[in-house]
């Protein structure tokens, strides 16, 4: 059982990192997308605002939903919706679709954070292990500020859309795992 819970803790940390990376994923892409859409980079930044605002709303929503339908179900369903919404972001063709799809993505990705902390209380019976894994998830969220921008910077050499297609694939893999 300890091995199973350790694997679950590790997956929660990795998933948390990739979820939070998306908060910052658009920052290195402002100028690239702005040039492609023929709009100022500041207008592309509206996609980050949309994501963050909808993420905040989702944080309030998903904790309550998880209590009703189950923690694991919300995490897995959230990752399933994250696959779809991340792919939708890659299909954006103008600032409006970028803002809408980033908002949807932010809302769906918010299904992870409040639920993952609660999930730790269910799978880790010992206080020390629970505290350790919650701290690791939080550290992952903090590191994501750097990691998310680095991932986007590296992947945008293919095309900016590849960043969100890659996240979609990562979320699919994490959801299946």
């Amino acid at each position: 059982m300890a091995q199973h819970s350790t694997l679950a803790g590790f997956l929660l940390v990795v998933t948390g990192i990739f979820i939070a990376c998306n908060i910052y994923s658009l920052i290195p892409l402002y100028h690239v997308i702005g040039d492609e859409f023929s709009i100022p980079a500041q207008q592309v930044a509206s996609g980050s605002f949309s994501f963050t605002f909808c993420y905040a709303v989702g944080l309030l929503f998903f904790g309550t939903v998880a209590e009703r339908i189950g923690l694991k179900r919300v995490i897995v369903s959230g990752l399933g919706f994250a696959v779809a919404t991340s792919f939708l972001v890659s299909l954006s063709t103008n600032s409006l679709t970028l803002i809408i799809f980033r908002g949807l993505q932010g809302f769906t990705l918010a299904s992870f954070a409040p639920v993952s902390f609660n999930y730790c209380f269910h799978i880790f019976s010992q206080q020390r292990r629970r505290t350790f894994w919650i701290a690791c998830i939080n550290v992952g969220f903090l590191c994501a500020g750097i990691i998310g921008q680095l991932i986007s910077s590296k992947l945008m050499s293919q095309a900016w859309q590849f960043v969100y297609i890659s996240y979609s694939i990562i979320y699919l893999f994490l959801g299946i795992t």
Side-chain angles (χ1 to χ4, degrees):
M1 186 64 166
Q3 284 181 324
H4 179 267
S5 62
T6 299
L7 177 61
F10 177 77
L11 286 172
L12 287 171
V13 172
V14 170
T15 303
I17 290 169
F18 282 108
I19 295 288
C21 278
N22 235 312
I23 296 169
Y24 309 97
S25 65
L26 191 59
I27 295 169
L29 307 176
Y30 287 166
H31 291 289
V32 173
I33 294 173
D35 291 346
E36 184 174 318
F37 293 172
S38 300
I39 58 173
Q42 294 86 346
Q43 195 171 342
V44 178
S46 298
S48 290
F49 172 79
S50 175
F51 180 99
T52 305
F53 180 80
C54 293
Y55 186 81
V57 171
L59 290 174
L60 297 171
F61 175 76
F62 284 108
T64 305
V65 169
E67 290 298 320
R68 292 193 178 134
I69 67 171
L71 302 170
K72 190 173 181 179
R73 184 178 292 172
V74 168
I75 289 175
V76 173
S77 298
L79 284 168
F81 285 115
V83 170
T85 57
S86 295
F87 187 74
L88 282 175
V89 173
S90 77
L91 300 178
S92 298
T93 57
N94 56 51
S95 63
L96 180 61
T97 56
L98 179 69
I99 291 167
I100 291 169
F101 294 156
R102 281 286 287 170
L104 289 171
Q105 183 188 42
F107 183 78
T108 59
L109 290 176
S111 65
F112 181 77
V115 180
S116 66
F117 295 134
N118 195 350
Y119 195 60
C120 285
F121 280 89
H122 290 345
I123 60 174
F124 302 111
S125 57
Q126 296 176 339
Q127 172 99 19
R128 285 182 73 174
R129 287 181 52 89
R130 183 181 316 134
T131 303
F132 171 78
W133 286 109
I134 289 173
C136 288
I137 293 168
N138 278 313
V139 168
F141 287 162
L142 294 172
C143 292
I146 298 166
I147 297 169
Q149 292 181 61
L150 290 173
I151 290 171
S152 290
S153 295
K154 294 296 180 194
L155 294 177
M156 78 176 176
S157 63
Q158 305 292 321
W160 72 265
Q161 295 90 342
F162 188 66
V163 172
Y164 295 100
I165 292 168
S166 297
Y167 277 112
S168 187
I169 293 166
I170 291 167
Y171 298 144
L172 178 63
F173 174 76
L174 290 169
I176 291 171
T177 307

